[in-house]
Amino acid sequence: MDLTIAILVTVVGASTPILIAALGELVVERSGVLNLGVEGMMLLGAIAGFVVQFHTGNHYLALICGAGAGMAASLIFGFLTLSLSANQTATGLALTIFGTGFSALAGASYSARPVSLMSPIFPELAAHPVLRVLFGYSFPAYFAIFMVFAIWFFLKKTRAGLILRAVGENDLSAHSIGYSVVKVRYFAVMFGGAMAGIAGACFPLTLTPQWAEGMTAGRGWIAVALVVFASWRPFRLLGGAYLFGLVMTMELYAKAGGGPLSAIPSELWAALPYIATIVVLVLISLRRDASTNAPACLGKPFMPSN
Amino acid sequence: MPNRLELTGITKQFPGVLANDHVSFAVKPGEIHALLGENGAGKSTLVKMIYGIMQPDAGEIRWNGEPVVVANPKAARKLGIGMVFQHFSLFEALTVLENIALGMDAKIPSRELESRIRAVMETYGLALDPHRTVATLSVGERQRIEIVRALLLDPQLLIMDEPTSVLTPQEVEQLFTVLRTLAAEGCSILYISHKLHEIKALCDTATILRGGKLVDTCDPKQETSRSMAEKMIGTGLKDIVKAEGGAFGPPKLVVNRLSTIKTGHFDVAVDDVSFTVRAGEILGVAGVAGNGQNALLDALSGELIGDDREAITIDGFGIGMMNTTQRRKQGLCAVPEERNGHAAVGDFSLSDNSVLTARDRLGMVVLGLINSGAAKTYTGKVIADFAVKALGPASTAGSLSGGNLQKYIMGREILQKPSVLVVSQPTWGVDAGAAAAIHQALVDLAAAGSAIVVISQDLDELRALCDTLAVINMGRLSATRPVKDFSVEEIGLLMGGVHGSMETA
């Protein structure tokens, strides 16, 4: 029982940054833009959040600055792909390489300097042996779940969300009706950048209280895959993120020699999220009907004819 | 009562072209007014000025008697002018309701919008589920979305730009019913088309444009299709010149018990089809869209490869298991219905498009290398012989208008002198002058000894062009008989699936 509770608590912690980053990318992709720079923006958010926390001690200020760093990076991406119509795939990969390098440079003098982790929102309930499954987390975990609902509502129920989907579905038609495709996509890309920055800042603020080079460890890529896994739907993203978090936590317990889990080699546990991603992508591509739900203009630069 | 819309001396100059030259006509309230003309006659330009997309250089537009300036489409909608475009601007993954909401100028709560949509659909008998996703709808249903969108604004004038070019005959009939109801309620309709029999059936008045000038305003019910066509193209319409009494040669294309497998959810497969086309013969395949025409074309062209070598033979040689390239080498060329994306690659130059289908027959590829000189020469010949309006062999296929691209594609295949040619909808969306040229080229090819299969939904075309006729219905083909032996009623019944004694004929 105690082990189950401990595992569940770890799962939520591990899933939260993936979920936040993937939610941002979901909105970006729904507007028709493929930003593969999530990993890079997360690292920039992580170093910005760490540095601010280290010097001010304010966790919330650190999260906001992480969001700002991610958003600034996404603006570079937006300028290149939206204003200059550069190739989105190449630009996104470049952003990831840039984010990895720049965060390593900026964080060089901060390695092995500890900061404090964010404390749970409900300190009394967090100490309870069972209720901590629900109430034992710090702010980002609740923020992530709130954003699932908020983004679902935005996309499904608001006019702005409808316009965003329309732009991702058929940019030329949206343009001819009179909506500004580039403006809508800028907002989406900036939102995605801010979410990736927050997700990155979660690593030093909620998981490992220090800065380490490349500390997001490929979670940005899992977030990108999750969006496809979830067929661009927020609630499936929630389930998917927790599922991936569970598999990743299993790996930790398997390594630590935790009973039955060790029956499977930990390397296999470590590979599972990636294997699952590939299997899901194959399954989705086999279903060649509208239910795959991919935005029709995903990744295509917007080029009005005149 | 003042005229709903009155144009006086409307003139529009483009660099190098006078698109509209002092055009004046009037549309009365409740009138269905046809705007008729060949491609490039200035119909679209004129309509764009009425709808506020362009501004006239000179002339006056009066709306219900008052002179107006239509600054933009929003101003036009405010006046009460609605327009249904030929190419829809719809979002496939969104629902009908969401699509309509996106196109409304005012922000209306979705529940209120839905009840208004349902009211409009009820009034005009436009069946459509507002919560269906557009991707699951047929072309006719998609057009209904555009019509509903226009009707929600209570227009006093509805402009329809070639609305029937993509519809099945049944859908055309439904559309006409809606338009007649609208007109009876006092809404004027400006109906752009070059399908003359539709205009005779629907319209009260026709204004004919040629080269930007107004040629005539007439009552289409008093005119014949032929007289209107001649006004459109300016000269007497050329009849198809056929050598009379020419006997056909030996059987060239023999199809024996050909069947295909259903490939997709909406496809109709070909079921046990047999027919023979002799040298010099043009066989027409009539039928309502979606009765297996696509499968028949694919099975003949080699896009669908069968499992019986002898199901299709040319001069007795079985080609049933060959692919398209091998069949082309054997002398069978084909033109599918969809010209941009299927018959031609839009982003490729015309020259490269020629290489794609003519490389083997005309030796455009030597040792794996493209002989671009030969491709260019051949493409230049196609452009010249078929009067294709293109800058040259280097212009991309996508830059051509639909009619010109069709002329190029037909020319590209016909000049290869195939011994068997299979074409689907050879003159779809092509104006009368160009259609006559394509028809003549097909007749000439047959006269030179080729066997030709024409799949078309246009009965007038088939009756004018073909020697023999068969009707396809639900994937099954009726017996082949000389065109003269068919009455229109009989063809209509066969298209509807009443085979009767024909089965055994």
Side-chain angles (χ1 to χ4, degrees), chain A residues 89 120 201:
Chain A
T89 308

Side-chain angles (χ1 to χ4, degrees), chain B residues 102-123:
Chain B
L102 277 169
M104 302 292 282
D105 292 327
K107 289 177 187 171
I108 306 163
S110 75
R111 212 160 290 156
E112 191 192 326
L113 183 63
E114 185 174 342
S115 65
R116 281 177 57 187
I117 291 171
R118 288 194 188 277
V120 166
M121 293 193 302
E122 183 96 15
T123 314

Side-chain angles (χ1 to χ4, degrees), chain A residues 159 165-166 169-170 173 177 179, chain B residues 89-91 93-94 98 101-102:
Chain A
R159 188 175 168 86
R165 282 188 287 144
E169 197 50 49
N170 190 339
S173 288
I177 291 178
Y179 298 111
Chain B
S89 44
L90 294 174
F91 304 94
L94 305 185
E98 289 171 336
L102 277 169

